[in-house]
Each structure stands twice: as structure tokens, then as C-alpha cells.
Amino acid sequence: MTVKADIDFQKELFEAANKMRGSVAPADYKHYVLPLIFLRYLSNKYEKRRKELEQIVKDPSSDWYTEDDEMRQIIITDPDQYKAENVFVVPEEASWSYIMKNAKQPNIKEILDNAMKRLEEENPELEGILPRIYQGSNLPPENVAGLIEIFSRDVFSANTDDSVDILGRTYEYFISSFAASEGNRGGEFFTPSSIVKLLVAMLEPKSGIVFDPACGSGGMFIQSEEYAPNKHALSFYGQENVVTTVRLGKMNVLLHGINAEIRLGDSLLNDQFPDLKADYVIANPPFNQKDWGADRLSKNDPRLIGPVTNSNANYMWMQHFLYHLNDAGTAGFVMANGAMTTNVKEEKEVRQKLVDEGYIDCIVQLPEKLFFTTGIPCCLFFLSKNRDGKNGYRARKNEILFIDARKMGTLVSRKQKALSKEEIDKIAAVYRAYKYEGAEGYEDIVGFCKVATIDEVRANDYKLTPGIYVGTEVSNEDDVPFEEKMAELTQRLLEQFEESNRLQEKIKKDLEELM
């Protein structure tokens, strides 16, 4: 979700966060700023509902009407009146008015920690989401007061109808800004919005279960909910391995009116949803994870369709996604380009099975620089269990759609590109025309898209690089990440050393025989 034009104080917001420089590591800014936005959101929702109740008890046409002041007060303060409307109860000492009134007190950090504690006590479902980290931090009280002052502006108040929307978008603005400032680390909790929008536009989540086992700050869920024509037709489940990121995600989805069950744990080694079967799996898993714990997997793990290697978790992630699809589900996820061509024995074996057993539906190669890091170029993989033609889909089990979008995208900063809405729509329209029964308008476009047969893919040694099929030159630079190239070159060099040693020994032996 992008920040709309009506937030005209973005720079000021980010500069306020940057005032923390020196006392808090930049990677930790978000952990102090984002909970304040969330606190403001909870307070607004509570305040708005309280005003509604104050009107209801005075309205003779209401079921809750009463002239008894004491009874009015009981109704207005009844927690069930708030919970019934999905509003969290906010005690006085956690209300934004109380925090604002005490912002310049020397003990404001203690007041904030206590506000978080009281909110958890009143609302057990918030347990573990609200951090009590202010008092123990090096943040100067005046910097905390400055942040509170910014979020106390009228535009964020409960008196403004769109304040909740603005708070949600401000939260996302901060997440993206922090991710950009953190570079590689930022990618751990945030996927740039144009990639998320493309995945969602291609998957088309309309109703059912959405699962993201590497859910970061929850952006995939928010975009999916925004895409769905009927609100609350989707159920969201996610897993994340970092405690602080779980908090960010839970706050983010609640800010956008979404109830998502996000659990903590390593998805590959400690799957928190072992029985979940989803209509849609959508994810941006960490690329090229080494030493991820392959040796700790049971050989009877139900997710496995082939071998695993501890040198790279990419194909374990794919097996995990596939396992969690229901019998008509589709998974769309971001992947390192190297996964399309890797010759590492275990990875290639799984890739061959995914092709031969008809699970790979579509591959999209993306432009470089879409991530905040300019490192590993990436692609999108789509695995599907509806390729036999069920639920209105076309039977396409012996075909794979390849899309080469490397020439798309526009620079939005010196280091980063983004896909435009028109480009996203163009790619999604091609996939839609390809997969639906009776859909019209699909045609191969040289240099952009091509439906290849499984036999063609086999003939190309199971390589999945779109450029091989759509008719453009394949750049080895783009296809194979440095780590993989280095591993292959090192292996070749070691083999040559061995051959050299063998020849040296042979020559020495021959010379000894001549003497």
C-alpha cells in the first residue's frame, strides 16, 4: 500500500525518527516509533466507540437508552460494548490524551511502558505485541516527547473520519522508510510494494485462506485484503522467526482492520501450522539461506518431495509452500534467480520433480534493483495444484508460462526501481489469460512471454529462465548469483588441483622408473 498525497508531512515524520540517532541504533528506530502509532490507533478507536455509546444511551429510540446516570456509566464502561465492535479497551493511563498531557514529564518513558502493560492487562489478545522498551532505552525524554507531539496532531485524532486510514498508511510509510535506510536488513521485514502488488494481482486472492510462512511486517496480508472484492472474505495465517518482526506484523494488520494469526517460529524447522492447507500461499522467503538446519529434518517429513541441502534453503521453502496448498491452491513467491538454473544435485532433483509432476505454473523474471539492496536479482515462482483444470481453471499440466519482465520498472531513486501499475496489470493479464478456462486474448509475445511445453523444458535441462523460451538473450550475469557461481568455480578449481596432484605423482613415478 503506498502513501497517498494527503500525508504531506512524511519527511518531518522520518526526521523525527532520525532525532533518535546516536542514542538508538538506526535498525531499532522502528521498534520505538511504530508502537506509538499503534497506541494512538487503539486510543482513537476506543475514544470513537465511547462517544458512540454516550450518544446511544441518551437516544430514546436505542435499546440501550436509559435516564439513569449510573446505568449509563455502566453501559459506557462495559468492555463487551467495545469488544463486540472489535475495539480494544483502553484504560485511562494508556489513553492518548493522558500520554499527551504527560509528554514533557521526565518519567514519560516509564509512563509509556506502563501504558503498554495496562493495555495487555485489559486485552489479553494483545499479549506479546506491545513492547515495554522505552524506560530501558537511551532515548532522551525530549526525543520521545517530540514523537508524541507529532502523533498528537489533529490529522491523527479520532475527530477525523480518515484518521485510522492515515495512521495505517503512516505506519506503512515508516516501515518502508526504515527498510530503505537499513538496506539488506530491511529486506528481512519488508517487501517493496510493487512486488507485493504484482504477486497479489497474479494470485487474485478473493476468498479463502491466505498463508505467508515468512510474513515479515504483514504487507502481503494487507495488500491481499485490499485486493479482495468482499472485505473479510479472506482468513490470514502467518509465521515469522523474529520476535520484534512478529510484533510489527501483528500491529500492522490490526491497524488495517485485519485479524491475522501470526505465530513465532522457524517455518522450515518448526512449522507452527502443520495441518494448514491454504487457497493461496504468498511469500518472500529469505534467499539462499546456508546452514539452515537440513540435518534436523526427519526423513519422513511430509513436506519433502525430494532431497534437501544445507547449503541452500531455497528448494526447502518451495517444498514447504507446496505442502501447504489445498488441492486447488496456488503459491506465488519471490525467489533468487539462481533457483531457476541451479545444478546443485539436491536442488536440481527437486526442480525436475516440480516440473515433471506438473506443479510449476509460471515463472516471472523481474528487473534488477527492485529491492533496497541491489544484490541478488530475483524472480517469481508460481506453483499450482489446479493445473488439471478444476474450479474454472484451464487444464495446463503439460505447459509452463514464462514471462521476462527484466526490461520493466522505473528508477524511483538512485538505487531502486519500482514496477508501475500499468506494468503490473500487463503481467497479471497475461497470467490470467493463460490460466482460466475460456479466457481469451493470450498470445506469445517474442521477448516477453511464452507458453512452453514440459518437453521443451526437459530439452533445456530443466532450466526455468524465461529468456531461454521467450526469445531473448540470456544473461549469465543475471541468472546465477555470485555465491552460486563462486561455489561452482571453487569446486572446479579443487577438481583441477586434484588432477594436477595426480599428474605430478604420475610424472614423479615415471621419472623414478627411468632412474
Side-chain angles (χ1 to χ4, degrees):
M1 187 171 176
T2 52
V3 180
K4 295 174 190 170
D6 57 5
I7 299 183
D8 57 359
F9 41 87
Q10 299 170 4
K11 284 184 181 170
E12 191 174 338
L13 287 172
F14 200 55
E15 279 163 16
N18 271 310
K19 284 180 184 174
M20 295 186 279
R21 195 183 295 279
S23 48
V24 176
D28 293 330
Y29 290 176
K30 58 185 173 294
H31 302 308
Y32 296 96
V33 176
L34 298 176
L36 285 181
I37 299 174
F38 188 60
L39 205 63
R40 177 59 152 146
Y41 165 82
L42 295 181
S43 194
N44 280 8
K45 294 270 283 186
Y46 180 79
E47 194 181 318
K48 194 173 180 185
R49 177 61 180 156
R50 189 181 175 100
K51 282 179 181 170
E52 284 173 5
L53 289 169
E54 286 169 356
Q55 295 296 319
I56 286 167
V57 294
K58 293 177 185 175
D59 181 359
S61 65
S62 162
D63 292 341
W64 296 101
Y65 173 72
T66 175
E67 292 185 357
D68 183 336
D69 284 343
E70 192 176 335
M71 183 55 69
R72 281 179 178 177
Q73 204 54 33
I74 289 169
I75 294 167
I76 289 167
T77 56
D78 178 6
D80 290 338
Q81 294 285 0
Y82 296 86
K83 288 172 183 173
E85 296 294 318
N86 290 320
V87 174
F88 292 101
V89 174
V90 178
E92 169 60 23
E93 58 271 44
S95 68
W96 194 260
S97 55
Y98 181 84
I99 287 163
M100 195 165 64
K101 193 167 66 185
N102 289 283
K104 294 191 176 170
Q105 295 298 321
N107 68 332
I108 183 56
K109 296 196 290 183
E110 182 186 348
I111 288 168
L112 283 176
D113 280 354
N114 186 54
M116 304 292 181
K117 177 171 173 279
R118 289 289 294 115
L119 277 164
E120 275 194 8
E121 287 170 354
E122 292 288 337
N123 308 278
E125 49 283 55
L126 290 176
E127 190 178 346
I129 296 178
L130 301 164
R132 297 197 277 279
I133 55 173
Y134 294 92
Q135 198 173 357
S137 74
N138 293 325
L139 274 176
E142 55 270 23
N143 284 10
V144 176
L147 286 171
I148 292 168
E149 187 182 345
I150 283 179
F151 297 125
S152 297
R153 291 181 174 200
D154 282 348
V155 71
F156 294 121
S157 76
N159 303 324
T160 311
D161 287 341
D162 58 357
S163 70
V164 167
D165 180 46
I166 287 176
L167 279 166
R169 285 186 283 117
T170 303
Y171 190 97
E172 287 221 17
Y173 166 73
F174 266 122
I175 285 180
S176 63
S177 297
F178 288 134
S181 70
E182 291 180 40
N184 284 5
R185 278 195 61 183
E188 291 175 10
F189 61 89
F190 180 80
T191 306
S193 64
S194 70
I195 298 176
V196 180
K197 285 178 178 175
L198 177 57
L199 273 172
V200 169
M202 293 181 75
L203 278 177
E204 302 177 279
K206 291 172 182 169
S207 65
I209 293 172
V210 177
F211 180 46
D212 182 350
C215 67
S217 53
M220 302 283 190
F221 296 152
I222 291 159
Q223 196 58 46
S224 295
E225 178 69 9
E226 198 166 279
Y227 181 90
N230 300 312
K231 297 305 158 198
H232 307 300
L234 295 169
S235 304
F236 299 100
Y237 298 86
Q239 188 165 336
E240 175 54 52
N241 200 25
V242 181
V243 176
T244 50
T245 307
V246 169
R247 282 186 190 142
L248 294 184
K250 286 184 175 182
M251 285 190 275
N252 198 14
V253 295
L254 285 169
L255 263 163
H256 288 83
I258 297 170
N259 287 321
E261 189 169 341
I262 300 174
R263 295 179 185 171
L264 177 67
D266 184 317
S267 284
L268 300 186
L269 299 176
N270 184 17
D271 187 356
Q272 293 292 304
F273 299 93
D275 301 318
L276 179 71
K277 299 295 181 183
D279 298 275
Y280 313 94
V281 172
I282 182 168
N284 174 23
F287 297 163
N288 302 332
Q289 279 177 291
K290 292 178 183 175
D291 303 321
W292 57 273
D295 53 325
R296 290 163 58 191
L297 283 187
S298 160
K299 287 182 180 175
N300 299 320
D301 191 306
R303 297 171 296 175
L304 298 181
I305 65 166
V308 293
T309 169
N310 207 35
S311 64
N312 197 316
N314 289 346
Y315 274 87
M316 182 57 216
W317 278 108
M318 291 195 211
Q319 292 176 83
H320 184 71
F321 299 148
L322 185 68
Y323 171 78
H324 279 291
L325 288 178
N326 64 26
D327 62 3
T330 302
F333 50 92
V334 190
M335 191 45 67
N337 274 5
M340 297 186 291
T341 55
T342 174
N343 280 317
V344 174
K345 182 177 175 293
E346 295 88 348
E347 294 178 287
K348 188 174 182 182
E349 194 173 318
V350 176
R351 186 170 82 240
Q352 286 173 332
K353 278 202 169 187
L354 290 172
V355 171
D356 287 337
E357 294 178 19
Y359 290 121
I360 295 184
D361 200 32
C362 176
I363 305 286
V364 183
Q365 191 163 358
L366 295 171
E368 60 177 9
K369 296 184 179 178
L370 284 183
F371 280 86
F372 294 117
T373 163
T374 54
I376 303 165
C378 61
C379 57
L380 303 182
F381 269 65
F382 290 84
L383 307 180
S384 185
K385 289 188 178 178
N386 58 46
R387 283 163 52 82
D388 52 1
K390 57 172 78 92
N391 294 3
Y393 291 98
R394 189 175 68 81
R396 58 200 190 285
K397 202 157 185 174
N398 294 313
E399 302 171 342
I400 297 175
L401 172 63
F402 291 96
I403 300 174
D404 189 343
R406 284 179 295 173
K407 292 178 181 171
M408 289 185 167
T410 309
L411 280 170
V412 290
S413 70
R414 191 169 56 84
K415 289 184 176 178
Q416 200 196 356
K417 281 184 176 180
L419 295 166
S420 68
K421 182 182 184 305
E422 292 71 28
E423 289 169 331
I424 289 168
D425 289 346
K426 181 180 178 180
I427 295 168
V430 167
Y431 187 42
R432 207 172 294 126
Y434 158 76
K435 66 181 175 176
Y436 287 121
E437 187 66 53
E440 294 177 9
Y442 177 80
E443 58 180 50
D444 291 341
I445 300 170
V446 176
F448 178 60
C449 64
K450 161 88 174 174
V451 173
T453 65
I454 299 295
D455 284 339
E456 285 179 79
V457 175
R458 289 188 187 112
N460 281 292
D461 196 28
Y462 291 89
K463 287 185 168 67
L464 298 176
T465 310
I468 294 171
Y469 305 96
V470 304
T472 56
E473 188 180 336
V474 185
S475 164
N476 290 328
E477 282 292 320
D478 284 347
D479 293 342
V480 185
F482 171 77
E483 293 92 332
E484 189 179 313
K485 257 191 279 192
M486 195 63 192
E488 287 183 8
L489 290 171
T490 303
Q491 184 60 35
R492 199 182 308 163
L493 186 62
L494 290 172
E495 288 168 1
Q496 287 169 349
F497 282 161
E498 283 178 22
E499 179 65 7
S500 170
N501 290 337
R502 191 185 66 77
L503 289 170
Q504 280 184 54
E505 288 302 315
K506 187 176 186 304
I507 291 166
K508 275 167 68 179
K509 211 169 188 182
D510 289 347
L511 286 170
E512 284 168 5
E513 287 174 2
L514 288 170
M515 288 171 72

